[in-house]
């Protein structure tokens, strides 16, 4: 039996990786010989970055970009095993940026993401 466990976070109680682990333990009790693959999902919410990209770039203080509101900000990035840099777009253009929702839609921008 092959089982893929791919939950999102249980907001306020478990992040996606913790939820996947708990579900995998339940599957293991029901099917001890199951081949289980954990694929925790994320929507870019809190705790997304450290769970999906646990290896920050050495000395990473972030890369300077322009946020969706047009103001400068620092976007964290991580490195995959092959050296590929990964930057979460939500931290650059996400609706959680202070002041973004007060701007008319026509004044918001994804330009900063392109500069990454």
């Amino acid at each position: 039996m092959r089982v893929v466990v791919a939950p999102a976070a249980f907001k306020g109680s478990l992040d996606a990786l913790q939820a996947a682990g708990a579900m995998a333990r339940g599957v293991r009790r029901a099917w001890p010989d199951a081949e289980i693959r954990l694929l925790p999902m994320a929507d870019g919410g809190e705790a997304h970055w450290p769970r999906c990209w646990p290896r920050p770039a050495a000395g990473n203080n972030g890369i300077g970009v322009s946020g969706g509101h047009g103001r400068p900000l620092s976007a964290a990035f991580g490195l995959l095993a092959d050296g590929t840099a990964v930057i979460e777009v939500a931290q650059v253009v996400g609706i959680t940026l202070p002041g973004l929702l007060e701007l008319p839609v026509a004044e918001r921008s994804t330009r900063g993401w392109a500069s990454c």
Side-chain angles (χ1 to χ4, degrees):
M1 165 90 48
R2 290 185 182 153
V3 178
V4 175
V5 180
F10 283 55
K11 192 161 185 91
S13 59
L14 298 172
D15 65 31
L17 189 58
Q18 292 168 328
M23 291 174 186
R25 287 188 295 279
V27 169
R28 182 71 61 216
R29 278 189 293 241
W31 295 303
D33 297 326
E35 178 184 323
I36 302 171
R37 181 151 186 207
L38 302 183
L39 294 171
M41 306 299 282
D43 63 2
E46 64 239 17
H48 171 78
W49 180 259
R51 287 294 176 207
C52 293
W53 316 112
R55 183 177 165 222
N60 179 12
N61 291 320
I63 183 171
V65 298
S66 174
H69 46 33
R71 295 190 293 259
L73 57 84
S74 179
F77 63 97
L79 294 175
L80 300 180
D82 67 359
T84 302
V86 179
I87 300 173
E88 182 185 22
V89 69
Q91 67 179 322
V92 178
V93 298
I95 62 170
T96 59
L97 292 175
L100 182 69
L101 295 179
E102 287 77 36
L103 285 176
V105 172
E107 293 179 27
R108 300 175 195 174
S109 175
T110 59
R111 201 170 294 124
W113 172 243
S115 70
C116 293

